[in-house]
Structures are given as structure tokens and as C-alpha cells.
Amino acid sequence: MRRLLLASSSPYRRELLSRLRLTFDCSAPQIDETAQANEPPEQLVRRLASEKARALASTHPDHLIIGSDQVAVLGQRILGKPHTFDRAKQQLRACSGNSVSFLTGLALLDSRASTIEIDCVSFTVHFRSLDDRQIERYLHTEQPYDCAGSFKAEGLGISLFRATEGSDVTSLIGLPLIRLVDMLNNAGIEVP
């Protein structure tokens, strides 16, 4: 069986990929994740997922390399990782009562054949109307400062939503497993 490599240092992506019960390695790609001028969010995540996978191809020449990148989009604005309580509070205030689209770019690179399959999976979160007390209580409890959108859907963050829509809830966490299984099957990896 071909060796798999997850081009990520994300513990969330590593946990998701482990659900498939496949043996894989992880390595953090070193790329510039800055958006290009006027680059639409979907194009950004596709490009970054591809660049993450390609960045490791020369050091892993006989692997299937999985790259992924995600952005949260509110209106026309990309929400990054907040990193601080104050920025997370601002993000959740902006999200309150609104819908946020999460776009997850996914790439599977066959470094032996130099072929790549790239896709973008979207998932929408409809937020409840939240007051400052709810936001602060949530942030103090879960501290989601390393998560785009300032919440962890796999934890207490689910309580912030009134509804979700999309074909693959794992895309919300950063690695769309349903689409990835399609790509792995196409590459000859049988899952399950």
C-alpha cells in the first residue's frame, strides 16, 4: 500500500484522518499562506492546499500527500484565527445572528506520478443571536483562539449554532473526510 503523508501540523486534521484507520505520517509544510491580491476565498484554499502538498513532494517522493487549508467567510470578509480573547470576541460578535461559510481546500498529490486532485468543500454555519455574556462564557470555557471563526464545532462551539448545512461536517473541522475518501479510492487506497 502507498504511504500517506498529511501535510499539516494541525492536531485537528491529524485526529480526523486517524478516523479512517489508515497508517500515515505528518509533516508541516513551510509555505507562505498570504492571500494574493484580489484572490477569491475558494481559489485561495485550493491554491494553499495544493502548495502544502507540493511543498513536501521532493522529500517524500513515493507518497500520497494530503494538503488542506480552510477559511471562514462572513459576507465578503475572511475570518482568520483570532489568537486572542479580544479578537475572538469581535469575531463572534460579528457572527452573531449571521451565517458563515467555511471553505476547505483539499488536495491529494501522488508524488510518484506528479498528479494532483484538488477540490473545495463548503459548509455553512448559521449562528444563534449571541450576547456578550454568552460569547465571553464560551471563550473562557473553550479558548478556541487557534480556530478560524473562533469556535470548536467538535466541542461546546456547537451550542453557538442554530443550524448547519453542508455535505460533510468534518470539513468544518478542517479535513473533509467524505471527499478525501473519494480521492483515496481514486488513488487505489481502499477505505474502509
Side-chain angles (χ1 to χ4, degrees):
M1 184 159 98
R2 297 290 301 279
R3 295 182 66 186
L4 291 178
L5 178 69
L6 178 61
S8 178
S9 60
S10 166
Y12 308 111
R13 288 190 179 107
R14 191 169 39 249
E15 186 278 324
L16 283 172
L17 185 54
S18 68
R19 290 185 192 181
L20 299 182
R21 298 185 183 187
L22 298 169
T23 302
F24 65 93
D25 297 312
C26 294
S27 184
Q30 301 302 315
I31 67 163
D32 179 2
E33 296 189 35
T34 306
Q36 297 173 352
N38 301 314
E39 186 175 30
E42 183 174 330
Q43 185 177 326
L44 170 67
V45 296
R46 285 174 178 265
R47 178 179 61 80
L48 292 178
S50 172
E51 285 182 11
K52 287 177 180 182
R54 291 178 195 278
L56 299 174
S58 64
T59 55
H60 298 84
D62 195 34
H63 285 70
L64 293 173
I65 305 173
I66 302 161
S68 187
D69 193 76
Q70 181 184 69
V71 296
V73 182
L74 175 62
Q76 299 300 311
R77 192 175 100 212
I78 292 177
L79 303 176
K81 296 176 182 176
H83 301 293
T84 68
F85 174 87
D86 290 334
R87 289 180 60 193
K89 185 175 177 180
Q90 288 173 352
Q91 278 191 1
L92 288 178
R93 275 182 179 160
C95 293
S96 175
N98 291 311
S99 298
V100 178
S101 295
F102 287 80
L103 303 175
T104 305
L106 180 64
L108 183 64
L109 171 71
D110 181 334
S111 61
R112 181 193 308 159
S114 295
T115 58
I116 192 165
E117 188 174 356
I118 305 167
D119 203 352
C120 178
V121 178
S122 66
F123 197 88
T124 302
V125 172
H126 305 283
F127 279 84
R128 297 176 189 278
S129 292
L130 305 167
D131 61 34
D132 280 353
R133 199 177 96 255
Q134 291 170 307
I135 291 170
E136 289 172 7
R137 191 170 57 242
Y138 170 71
L139 292 175
H140 287 303
T141 302
E142 199 146 64
Q143 302 178 7
Y145 309 128
D146 63 343
C147 300
S150 301
F151 67 85
K152 294 181 183 179
E154 67 277 21
L156 186 59
I158 197 79
S159 68
L160 306 175
F161 311 157
R162 65 176 170 76
T164 62
E165 63 183 282
S167 62
D168 186 351
V169 71
T170 60
S171 66
L172 186 57
I173 305 170
L175 188 65
L177 293 182
I178 292 172
R179 185 64 183 104
L180 179 59
V181 167
D182 292 339
M183 290 178 170
L184 291 170
N185 286 336
N186 291 344
I189 303 296
E190 294 181 347
V191 184

